[in-house]
Amino acid sequence: MLIRRPDVIPSSEITPYRHYLNRRAFIRSAAGALGAIATGGLAAGAGARELNALGPRPGSQEIDPRFATLTDELGDELNGFGQVTTYNNFYEFGTGKDDPARNAGTLRPRPWTVTISGEVENPGVFDVDDLVGRFGELERIYRLRCVEAWSMVIPWSGFLLRDLVDWAQPTSRARYVEFRTLYDPEQMPGQRRAILDWPYVEGLRLDEARNHLTLMATGVYGVPLPNQNGAPLRLIVPWKYGFKSIKSIVEIRFQEDQPRTAWEMAAPQEYGFYANVNPEVDHPRWSQARERRIGELGRRATLPFNGYGEQVAQLYSGMDLRRFY
């Protein structure tokens, strides 16, 4: 059941009207998908093999008929359910794109708690389902642009991060929000290898966290997040490269200092803190001017801020976007 709060700003007021109409269609589609979960007995965080009962075969470009009429606000069609759930970067389960779908069955997404800590008036340890019940769920179709120059269009469900921020009540000292992924090599076997300095850490400025686009995702394609997509709770920041959208979050910490993020520590010359999509700033090893939409043969031009500049460019007024990569 989708829980709605009357004080949440309607999508019609913060996104283009066409996107708002798509959102209404998505709600109807999601209701049908959730009904399929109820009759099919799928559990939250089920693996791709189970979830594909609701959609095309793994890796397929086909769109589930219940979502076939949906697009993003630019008119781009959704990627197939099979693509979204089998083409993933989640190094905690392996470095290959299909490794997470094959290996993430070891993750146990319930019970799951999230620690809210640091410079806040309301710290504590909270059950993830209690958070969803408190903040409700909404639907957003977002483009995802990976730093590796591939992209997808994905229908997410979740709650606005700014609702959690406001509820936590940051103190006057809080300027950044740090996120941490679960660290448990038994559940996440990729953590047994020193690919990164585990656990995975990401961060946002407080104003970025409170932007109306920033989503705490709990579902995709109308079903609970599968393990390989970051069950049971992940961040979605659609104007930034995908590595900012940290998965399987267990801690949200408010702090005065800028967090030291996982990829910054691993390769600071390649992965900066801001990671805003910028076609004019190349990665040291490849161009960012164009991207490959998964399922398409050619490449398309990359849009500044992944096409969300109207909503977020003001956050970086006066900053040198080449320097603050």
Side-chain angles (χ1 to χ4, degrees), residues 48 52 58-60 81-88 97-98 101 228-229:
N52 273 313
S60 172
F81 179 87
Q83 293 171 326
V84 172
T85 56
T86 62
Y87 194 92
N88 310 104
K97 293 295 184 288
D98 59 347
Q228 63 268 28
N229 290 95

Side-chain angles (χ1 to χ4, degrees), residues 263-272 282-285 325:
W263 278 107
E264 273 190 292
M265 289 188 286
Q269 72 282 6
E270 298 190 5
Y271 306 102
D282 290 337
H283 186 280
R285 289 182 281 132
Y325 166 66

Side-chain angles (χ1 to χ4, degrees), residues 145 278-282 287-291 300-303:
R145 171 57 155 86
N278 190 342
E280 296 183 0
V281 178
D282 290 337
S287 169
Q288 295 289 21
R290 302 185 68 80
E291 66 194 62
R300 57 172 67 202
T302 294
L303 301 176

Side-chain angles (χ1 to χ4, degrees), residues 2-325:
L2 298 181
I3 304 170
R4 307 209 179 277
R5 287 178 42 194
D7 57 325
V8 172
I9 299 175
S11 288
S12 58
E13 296 180 13
I14 59 177
T15 57
Y17 185 62
R18 179 176 181 178
H19 194 177
Y20 173 66
L21 294 178
N22 285 337
R23 177 183 177 277
R24 303 305 302 170
F26 177 57
I27 292 172
R28 294 192 295 271
S29 300
L34 289 172
I37 296 173
T39 57
L42 297 182
R49 220 169 285 169
E50 296 172 293
L51 285 173
N52 273 313
L54 296 175
R57 64 190 181 278
S60 172
Q61 188 179 344
E62 300 169 27
I63 304 295
D64 187 301
R66 287 163 293 185
F67 299 86
T69 62
L70 301 186
T71 66
D72 69 3
E73 81 282 4
L74 300 181
D76 291 349
E77 296 181 354
L78 306 184
N79 279 89
F81 179 87
Q83 293 171 326
V84 172
T85 56
T86 62
Y87 194 92
N88 310 104
N89 282 333
F90 201 173
Y91 284 7
E92 285 83 348
F93 298 104
T95 56
K97 293 295 184 288
D98 59 347
D99 285 346
R102 292 189 294 104
N103 301 331
T106 53
L107 180 65
R108 299 185 294 274
R110 294 294 189 282
W112 192 277
T113 58
V114 179
T115 299
I116 297 176
S117 62
E119 294 290 341
V120 289
E121 300 292 343
N122 293 320
V125 180
F126 305 93
D127 183 87
V128 66
D129 294 317
D130 291 341
L131 294 178
V132 175
R134 176 177 294 274
F135 303 121
E137 287 189 307
L138 48 78
E139 295 76 32
R140 293 283 174 86
I141 298 173
Y142 282 154
R143 293 176 296 283
L144 173 69
R145 171 57 155 86
C146 182
V147 73
E148 298 169 340
W150 58 265
S151 62
M152 292 192 190
V153 181
I154 303 174
W156 304 102
S157 57
F159 59 87
L160 298 179
L161 176 56
R162 71 176 178 188
D163 286 348
L164 184 149
V165 170
D166 292 346
W167 174 68
Q169 296 185 37
T171 71
S172 60
R173 293 172 59 89
R175 297 176 59 236
Y176 294 90
V177 186
E178 180 187 88
F179 306 85
R180 288 180 179 264
T181 293
L182 174 71
Y183 177 69
D184 185 342
E186 178 185 347
Q187 294 190 61
M188 295 178 155
Q191 292 175 335
R192 299 168 190 165
R193 299 172 58 195
I195 303 168
L196 294 169
D197 186 7
W198 309 112
Y200 197 94
V201 175
E202 257 306 334
L204 297 173
R205 273 188 347 213
L206 191 59
D207 58 347
E208 295 176 319
R210 296 196 72 259
N211 185 275
H212 67 262
L213 294 181
T214 309
L215 189 70
M216 300 297 290
T218 57
V220 64
Y221 256 104
V223 299
L225 281 175
N227 290 356
Q228 63 268 28
N229 290 95
L233 185 69
R234 68 172 289 172
L235 180 68
I236 302 294
V237 194
W239 69 94
K240 294 179 179 287
Y241 291 120
F243 68 85
K244 295 293 290 187
S245 294
I246 184 172
K247 304 175 179 74
S248 301
I249 296 169
V250 295
E251 184 174 4
I252 302 172
R253 180 177 178 81
F254 295 78
Q255 58 194 57
E256 184 175 9
D257 298 328
Q258 180 175 304
R260 298 186 64 216
T261 62
W263 278 107
E264 273 190 292
M265 289 188 286
Q269 72 282 6
E270 298 190 5
Y271 306 102
F273 175 81
Y274 283 95
N276 291 322
V277 176
N278 190 342
E280 296 183 0
V281 178
D282 290 337
H283 186 280
R285 289 182 281 132
W286 56 80
S287 169
Q288 295 289 21
R290 302 185 68 80
E291 66 194 62
R292 177 175 60 94
R293 179 67 49 82
I294 298 301
E296 295 181 355
L297 294 178
R299 290 181 174 266
R300 57 172 67 202
T302 294
L303 301 176
F305 296 109
N306 204 23
Y308 299 102
E310 184 177 343
Q311 294 96 332
V312 303
Q314 73 281 0
L315 296 173
Y316 311 102
S317 178
M319 291 179 61
D320 182 348
L321 296 181
R322 288 184 173 273
R323 178 184 174 192
F324 292 98
Y325 166 66

